[in-house]
Amino acid sequence: MRIFSKEEIEKYISVPDLIEDIEKGFLRYSSGTVVVPPVGHMSLEAKRADLHIKYCHIPSEKFFVVKIASYFPENVVHGKSSVQGGVLLFSQSTGELVALFQDEGYMSHVRTAVAGACVAKYLAPKHVEAIGIIGSGTQARMQLEYLQYVLDCKKVYLWARKYENAMALAQDKALKNYQIEVVQSVEEIPACANFIVTTTSSKSALLQAKDIRPGTHITAMGSDSPGKQELDPEILKRASLVVADSLSQCLHCGELSHWVTENDHLPETVKELGAIFKNPELIPSSSNRITVADLTGVAVQDLVIACTIYERAS
Amino acid sequence: MRIFSKEEIEKYISVPDLIEDIEKGFLRYSSGTVVVPPVGHMSLEAKRADLHIKYCHIPSEKFFVVKIASYFPENVVHGKSSVQGGVLLFSQSTGELVALFQDEGYMSHVRTAVAGACVAKYLAPKHVEAIGIIGSGTQARMQLEYLQYVLDCKKVYLWARKYENAMALAQDKALKNYQIEVVQSVEEIPACANFIVTTTSSKSALLQAKDIRPGTHITAMGSDSPGKQELDPEILKRASLVVADSLSQCLHCGELSHWVTENDHLPETVKELGAIFKNPELIPSSSNRITVADLTGVAVQDLVIACTIYERAS
């Protein structure tokens, strides 16, 4: 059994390779060849903490993965990562543990940011005027870092609940290729940008349907448990295409969960990410279209990233 | 983070202490102070393998536990343990991983055997004529090893599907204090023994109600997933007391699951293990009573054993 520290994991990350690999992972997920049991969950209320367990396997592959990810918000006060846990990779022939990744949530951040880049590759408007980022955490920064691999646009509008956090992110050296403007109100984001990424842990809609211009794409990646919400459900209703990383998960805890209460069956405009990757002709070509990607994080992403790092290291 | 090998774990096991600690664990579980989410499960069909994830926490305690246990039956052909996985202990203050136990299923065997001993301590007939063991695997051996801490009886009748396996177990040096007789048919077990333990992975009843004599206790510990069964449901119906380690789990995948289909609500004769430990006066005193314990394995046992080993080692 090999143990990987966060520093070692960083050495083996290649974003362009991961964009390809995770795209293939979603494709296999949506074609039904990945076995993904329901996500396990436990609340640790004394610390307002949460634990999620995601696991899956692809029958023809060498390994299966179990990811234990906890969120302890008070950790930041003590200078520790608020994300804890680990990713475990097991042999599919014998069940033996082959690798433990003590990643402090880094691999989850990477695979989420990569999913955002995969989405941008397929769904970004032909001409991205500006990128709009909502949120100022790790994922906000990593989205911008990884979007460079698939988008040319360098103009960014940024809004966060705390202005000082947005200012700090705007000055982050990792984003020096961008020209970042911090805005005072969230409404300015859809007014200025036609490619928007929401990366918050909000529990109520931040973007309103009335503010979304035709020709806009929105990737919502903050919602990963019931009750979280970043988009007015009306936006999904108005969209020509709503793409879910996992329909079952998004209906349970994604933006879709806030919309479907009105619908008996899923509208034709809702597709799964892997289906879009397989048949890009499903993407409406009109320049006036609104598209939305609802990302909750699927275990196949964890499997792909763990396998990729392990195989590069071996 | 500290890693424990199976050999190190063995050094820190004290059966008498664990009998006390796990008894307290069940008590807390049944009084509702343990948070135990549903067991996670994944089948890996290519290898006829199974994965279970059990996890829990007690809000007032220091640690929480996640146990990943897989069963790869073909491993034995290659001289490897068929049980793989690991037990992870995390800080409840920060979520940090404090210990990984690479136990090859040993801790699960221990905590299961300890639960059997806890049950025997409370539910064995006053005079145990003979112990009856059904099965010849690790748990059959460990049951006999651990029962020595709570029962005086040294006479054992043993039956297993494969006669040669039963003979091999009967000659195991670890059981040299017992006088073990291997029998040819399973019906001989209830005829000769009034304290019976079933430890198989059977999918149909091995013990029939007509063969059970008044005054018998049966601990069924083989059934841990839907479809498994060791007892004729009629035995549970006839019993004065049926004790479940976890009512919710036993109704899902224990012996109780095969009985309750007939019942709208749980009969008065069904109790939880922790309730019995708290109020032993619930145990019928008649020497003619039949009692049954239905053990599926509860995450609180994994929490107790992991905490005990970690604290002894620290």
Side-chain angles (χ1 to χ4, degrees):
Chain A
M1 195 261 300
R2 179 161 175 176
I3 298 182
F4 290 82
S5 67
K6 187 183 165 193
E7 288 68 33
E8 275 174 285
I9 294 165
E10 282 171 333
K11 281 198 304 192
Y12 296 110
I13 295 291
S14 153
V15 176
D17 290 353
L18 275 174
I19 290 176
E20 266 189 45
D21 293 343
I22 285 186
E23 189 178 318
K24 280 183 209 146
F26 277 119
L27 218 147
R28 297 176 79 168
Y29 174 71
S30 293
S31 62
T33 56
V34 189
V35 178
V36 187
V39 177
H41 175 253
M42 180 164 74
S43 292
L44 295 115
E45 288 174 7
K47 290 279 169 186
R48 298 185 298 122
D50 256 316
L51 177 80
H52 285 100
I53 303 179
K54 295 188 174 182
Y55 49 117
C56 77
H57 78 283
I58 300 176
S60 57
E61 294 293 325
K62 275 193 205 161
F63 305 111
F64 66 89
V65 78
V66 178
K67 183 177 82 172
I68 300 165
S70 64
Y71 181 66
F72 279 74
E74 291 171 19
N75 278 6
V76 285
V77 181
H78 311 290
K80 292 182 194 244
S81 168
S82 56
V83 181
Q84 295 288 340
V87 178
L88 297 101
L89 197 66
F90 296 91
S91 159
Q92 228 183 119
S93 311
T94 63
E96 287 167 299
L97 180 61
V98 295
L100 165 65
F101 301 90
Q102 290 207 279
D103 70 328
E104 296 174 24
Y106 175 64
M107 286 161 69
S108 292
H109 285 308
V110 170
R111 57 81 147 152
T112 304
V114 168
C118 292
V119 167
K121 188 176 149 189
Y122 284 82
L123 291 177
K126 267 201 193 87
H127 173 62
V128 178
E129 304 157 6
I131 299 168
I133 299 284
I134 296 181
S136 58
T138 306
Q139 197 51 232
R141 172 176 52 76
M142 288 183 72
Q143 273 303 299
L144 285 172
E145 285 184 71
Y146 287 20
L147 284 174
Q148 299 183 81
Y149 292 92
V150 291
L151 298 182
D152 290 327
C153 176
K154 298 299 172 212
K155 178 68 195 164
V156 174
Y157 291 90
L158 173 63
W159 178 86
R161 200 166 49 85
K162 291 194 178 157
Y163 184 77
E164 61 273 27
N165 292 354
M167 286 303 289
L169 180 62
Q171 282 144 29
D172 193 305
K173 277 182 196 149
L175 306 180
K176 63 181 187 309
N177 293 338
Y178 285 107
Q179 186 202 333
I180 303 178
E181 197 166 316
V182 175
V183 297
Q184 297 275 358
S185 73
V186 69
E187 294 80 12
E188 291 174 68
I189 295 292
C192 302
N194 64 343
F195 181 88
I196 300 172
V197 187
T198 63
T199 66
T200 73
S201 57
S202 175
K203 292 190 168 180
S204 59
L206 298 170
L207 287 177
Q208 304 302 326
K210 66 174 172 50
D211 298 325
I212 309 303
R213 291 177 295 144
T216 298
H217 170 80
I218 303 166
T219 298
M221 48 176 49
S223 202
D224 60 355
S225 52
K228 288 192 185 170
Q229 181 176 22
E230 298 181 291
L231 308 185
D232 174 3
E234 193 66 22
I235 297 175
L236 282 72
K237 202 169 175 179
R238 273 184 53 201
S240 319
L241 178 67
V242 176
V243 181
D245 56 359
S246 155
L247 275 177
S248 59
Q249 284 186 199
C250 289
L251 289 169
H252 175 65
C253 65
E255 298 298 330
L256 273 172
S257 69
H258 303 287
W259 180 36
V260 289
T261 43
E262 304 170 19
N263 293 281
D264 285 343
H265 54 272
L266 276 178
E268 276 296 298
T269 50
V270 179
K271 309 274 182 211
E272 219 169 51
L273 202 48
I276 292 296
F277 292 162
K278 194 176 179 187
N279 299 305
E281 66 274 15
L282 294 172
I283 303 167
S285 54
S286 152
S287 62
N288 275 331
R289 67 180 200 186
I290 289 173
T291 54
V292 175
D294 188 6
L295 304 186
T296 53
V298 188
V300 70
Q301 296 167 259
D302 302 310
L303 178 63
V304 168
I305 190 169
C307 288
T308 305
I309 294 168
Y310 182 71
E311 278 162 1
R312 276 175 158 248
S314 299
Chain B
M1 194 256 305
R2 179 161 175 176
I3 297 182
F4 291 82
S5 66
K6 186 182 165 192
E7 289 66 35
E8 275 174 286
I9 294 165
E10 282 172 333
K11 281 198 305 193
Y12 296 111
I13 295 291
S14 155
V15 177
D17 291 352
L18 275 175
I19 290 176
E20 265 188 47
D21 293 344
I22 285 188
E23 189 177 317
K24 280 184 210 147
F26 278 119
L27 219 145
R28 296 176 80 169
Y29 174 71
S30 294
S31 63
T33 55
V34 189
V35 178
V36 186
V39 177
H41 175 253
M42 180 164 73
S43 292
L44 296 115
E45 289 175 6
K47 290 279 170 188
R48 297 185 298 124
D50 256 316
L51 177 81
H52 284 100
I53 303 179
K54 295 187 175 183
Y55 49 116
C56 76
H57 77 282
I58 300 175
S60 56
E61 294 292 324
K62 275 192 206 162
F63 305 110
F64 66 89
V65 78
V66 177
K67 183 177 82 172
I68 300 165
S70 64
Y71 180 66
F72 279 74
E74 291 171 16
N75 278 7
V76 286
V77 181
H78 312 289
K80 291 180 193 246
S81 169
S82 56
V83 181
Q84 295 288 339
V87 178
L88 297 101
L89 197 65
F90 296 91
S91 159
Q92 229 183 118
S93 311
T94 64
E96 287 168 299
L97 180 61
V98 296
L100 165 65
F101 301 90
Q102 290 207 281
D103 70 328
E104 297 175 24
Y106 176 64
M107 285 161 69
S108 292
H109 285 309
V110 170
R111 58 82 148 153
T112 304
V114 167
C118 291
V119 167
K121 187 176 150 190
Y122 284 82
L123 291 177
K126 268 203 190 85
H127 173 62
V128 177
E129 304 157 9
I131 298 168
I133 299 284
I134 296 181
S136 59
T138 305
Q139 197 50 232
R141 173 176 52 76
M142 289 182 72
Q143 272 304 298
L144 285 172
E145 285 185 70
Y146 287 21
L147 284 173
Q148 298 182 83
Y149 293 92
V150 291
L151 298 182
D152 290 327
C153 176
K154 298 298 172 215
K155 179 68 196 165
V156 174
Y157 291 90
L158 173 63
W159 178 87
R161 201 166 48 88
K162 291 194 179 158
Y163 183 78
E164 61 273 28
N165 292 353
M167 287 304 289
L169 180 62
Q171 283 145 29
D172 193 303
K173 277 181 194 150
L175 307 179
K176 63 181 190 306
N177 294 338
Y178 285 107
Q179 187 202 334
I180 303 178
E181 197 166 317
V182 175
V183 296
Q184 298 275 359
S185 71
V186 68
E187 293 80 14
E188 291 175 69
I189 295 293
C192 301
N194 63 344
F195 181 87
I196 300 172
V197 186
T198 63
T199 66
T200 74
S201 56
S202 177
K203 292 190 170 182
S204 59
L206 297 170
L207 287 177
Q208 303 304 326
K210 65 176 173 50
D211 299 325
I212 309 302
R213 292 177 294 145
T216 298
H217 169 81
I218 303 166
T219 298
M221 48 175 54
S223 202
D224 60 356
S225 51
K228 288 193 185 170
Q229 181 176 25
E230 298 182 291
L231 307 185
D232 173 4
E234 192 68 23
I235 297 174
L236 282 71
K237 201 169 174 179
R238 274 182 54 199
S240 318
L241 178 66
V242 176
V243 182
D245 57 359
S246 155
L247 274 177
S248 59
Q249 284 186 200
C250 290
L251 289 169
H252 174 65
C253 64
E255 298 299 330
L256 273 172
S257 69
H258 303 286
W259 180 36
V260 287
T261 43
E262 305 172 18
N263 292 282
D264 285 343
H265 54 272
L266 276 178
E268 274 296 296
T269 50
V270 179
K271 310 273 182 210
E272 216 168 55
L273 203 50
I276 293 296
F277 293 163
K278 194 175 181 189
N279 299 306
E281 66 274 15
L282 295 172
I283 303 165
S285 55
S286 154
S287 61
N288 277 331
R289 68 178 198 185
I290 289 174
T291 53
V292 175
D294 188 5
L295 304 185
T296 53
V298 189
V300 69
Q301 295 166 260
D302 302 310
L303 179 64
V304 168
I305 190 168
C307 288
T308 304
I309 294 168
Y310 182 74
E311 276 162 3
R312 274 175 160 248
S314 300

